[in-house]
Amino acid sequence: FLLRRLPVSREDLPVEIQRKIDMETYRLQKTGSRKIKLERGNGELEPAQLKPTYAQLPEDIEPLSRILQDLNERFGTNFTEQDRVFIEQLEAKLAEDAALDASVRVNTPDNARLTFDHVVNDRVQELIDTNFKFYKQITDDDDFAQAFFNWLFERYLQQRRGGSQSEAGTAFT
């Protein structure tokens, strides 16, 4: 509980990430070599094909109110449309966090998730006065917190990839 109250330096990566990435022993290693044969004469070089990008289909996108309904059904909570404002405020604070954005851009999703969870916990602490009911549900019910953070992380990643923030969402698992 004390860790949440201590100030966090935003210039360095979180300790969890620094422990997982060991740049001191990073090295390049040749794994093999082979010869390729080129045909003689003039030819035309075809451009490399890019991997297709997959956009989320509109029917897969759920409004934030549907997510609140899913939370209520799954965890027996009673969140209303007013609680939607709390989630939107939380998402806005996450979107403004430069360290979180940098972490998501340069790390694997698992390592970025460590930073994300840390930042979300800090932002939830900041918004305790705005919505104590939501804060209490997150801190008292680990399953709820895990499901909510998973969903929030997916929304954050989708927003960073150019998806629609206000209407994006995924089902809880």
Side-chain angles (χ1 to χ4, degrees), residues 94-116:
L94 293 174
E96 295 169 357
D97 195 300
L100 179 58
D101 183 48
S103 176
V104 168
R105 278 188 282 120
V106 300
N107 290 306
T108 64
D110 290 338
N111 288 340
R113 180 61 190 262
L114 294 172
T115 304
F116 181 83

Side-chain angles (χ1 to χ4, degrees), residues 20-162:
K20 297 240 182 219
I21 301 172
D22 184 13
M23 292 304 288
E24 300 293 323
T25 59
Y26 181 76
R27 66 185 170 120
L28 294 176
Q29 181 178 357
K30 185 176 181 179
T31 59
S33 65
R34 58 186 136 157
K35 293 183 178 183
I36 58 172
K37 294 182 182 181
L38 299 177
E39 295 179 17
R40 292 192 170 261
N42 292 335
E44 191 171 310
L45 183 62
E46 295 292 325
Q49 297 294 323
L50 297 175
K51 292 183 180 178
T53 57
Y54 300 99
Q56 193 169 23
L57 299 175
E59 60 268 8
D60 292 341
I61 299 174
E62 299 180 25
L64 192 52
S65 57
R66 175 70 181 136
I67 300 302
L68 285 174
Q69 181 181 355
D70 288 345
L71 283 171
N72 288 338
E73 290 172 5
R74 182 170 173 191
F75 296 100
T77 55
N78 190 24
F79 295 119
T80 64
E81 286 297 313
Q82 294 172 346
D83 296 307
R84 177 184 179 144
V85 174
F86 171 78
I87 296 172
E88 289 172 347
Q89 289 174 343
L90 181 58
E91 288 182 319
K93 289 200 174 274
L94 293 174
E96 295 169 357
D97 195 300
L100 179 58
D101 183 48
S103 176
V104 168
R105 278 188 282 120
V106 300
N107 290 306
T108 64
D110 290 338
N111 288 340
R113 180 61 190 262
L114 294 172
T115 304
F116 181 83
D117 287 347
H118 182 72
V119 170
V120 169
N121 278 320
D122 289 347
R123 297 304 171 255
V124 167
Q125 290 289 328
E126 292 171 5
L127 296 172
I128 190 172
D129 294 330
T130 309
N131 193 325
F132 184 74
K133 178 176 71 170
F134 213 97
Y135 166 80
K136 184 151 178 55
Q137 185 69 34
I138 289 171
T139 56
D140 289 351
D141 187 344
D142 290 336
D143 291 336
F144 175 86
Q146 185 67 33
F148 180 67
F149 285 8
N150 287 344
W151 170 80
L152 202 57
F153 184 64
E154 290 300 319
R155 279 178 59 99
Y156 182 82
L157 290 179
Q158 185 178 21
Q159 177 189 13
R160 291 292 162 240
R161 293 180 189 134

